[in-house]
Amino acid sequence: MANINVMDLIYWKDTERTGVVFTGLVVGLLSLFQLSIITVVSTISLGVMCFTVSVRLYYKILQVLNMGDGVHPFKAYLDLDISFSGELADQYTQKTIVTIVSAANSLKNLFLVGNLFDSLKLLALMYLVTFLGDLCNGLTLLIIAVITLFSLPLFYRQHQAKVDSFFAGIQAKIDNVMDILHRIAQGGGPTPDPTPGGAKPKTQ
């Protein structure tokens, strides 16, 4: 259910709820440019508490005046079960450990040059990241990531055929370049047949 709710937010199925979440995230992150994270968190918490306490008191007053049924305004959220069973917790723990170990092994092979070609790709990537760091900081990238998360999935769903066709062409060109670089790294090799499917052109 949690995954479905997240996907509903990303795809703007509930426009009002998604707008509140998206605006809150962006405003909160923008606030970090001027204020410390402690100030931002405490201010947001204070605002949320003022809202929830006010709504709770309002419903209480309606109940006292016999103008309401006395139902807790946040009952649906209070009854929401967010606990994990022991088996499910063990499953997530094992997946987390496997992921961490796999990432550590990958980093070890990259930094200790287990594969020269992969390490050179990482070296080039880190070099490009240094230029990105000069242009913007991590907070700016996080804001861009949030905006992208709430815009690209919906854009892709509405223009899926065009996007797939565009990236298929780019992927074909990248695969061709990577194949050439891979052959060079291995000391060269026979040039791949340029004709589709590797078929030899017929001679007249």
Side-chain angles (χ1 to χ4, degrees), residues 26-185:
V26 173
V27 171
L29 292 173
L30 288 174
S31 300
L32 293 176
F33 279 113
Q34 302 295 332
L35 305 171
S36 68
I37 187 171
I38 297 176
T39 303
V40 172
V41 171
S42 60
T43 303
I44 292 176
S45 300
L46 181 62
V48 171
M49 287 297 298
C50 288
F51 171 75
T52 54
V53 170
S54 299
V55 173
R56 185 73 174 98
L57 290 175
Y58 174 72
Y59 274 74
K60 269 295 184 182
I61 293 173
L62 291 180
Q63 182 183 5
V64 172
L65 298 177
N66 294 324
M67 298 175 61
D69 51 12
V71 177
H72 197 294
F74 306 112
K75 179 175 175 56
Y77 297 99
L78 291 173
D79 294 340
L80 187 63
D81 185 15
I82 58 174
S83 61
F84 287 110
S85 64
E87 181 179 351
L88 189 59
D90 290 340
Q91 181 179 354
Y92 279 113
T93 301
Q94 291 177 1
K95 287 183 178 180
T96 302
I97 293 175
V98 170
T99 302
I100 293 175
V101 172
S102 177
N105 284 330
S106 298
L107 291 175
K108 178 188 66 176
N109 290 331
L110 288 171
F111 282 98
L112 299 181
V113 198
N115 183 292
L116 178 60
F117 187 63
D118 290 340
S119 296
L120 289 176
K121 288 192 293 183
L122 178 63
L123 178 65
L125 177 62
M126 292 298 101
Y127 180 71
L128 294 176
V129 170
T130 59
F131 291 99
L132 182 62
D134 292 335
L135 297 175
C136 58
N137 56 29
L139 185 57
T140 303
L141 294 178
L142 186 57
I143 294 174
I144 294 174
V146 171
I147 296 175
T148 301
L149 179 65
F150 281 88
S151 58
L152 279 189
L154 182 61
F155 177 83
Y156 175 73
R157 171 173 287 187
Q158 295 175 342
H159 306 85
Q160 183 173 355
K162 294 180 180 179
V163 173
D164 288 345
S165 176
F166 175 75
F167 281 103
I170 293 179
Q171 185 63 46
K173 294 179 180 179
I174 292 176
D175 289 342
N176 187 31
V177 173
M178 295 298 293
D179 182 66
I180 294 174
L181 293 176
H182 189 64
R183 291 174 181 276
I184 293 175

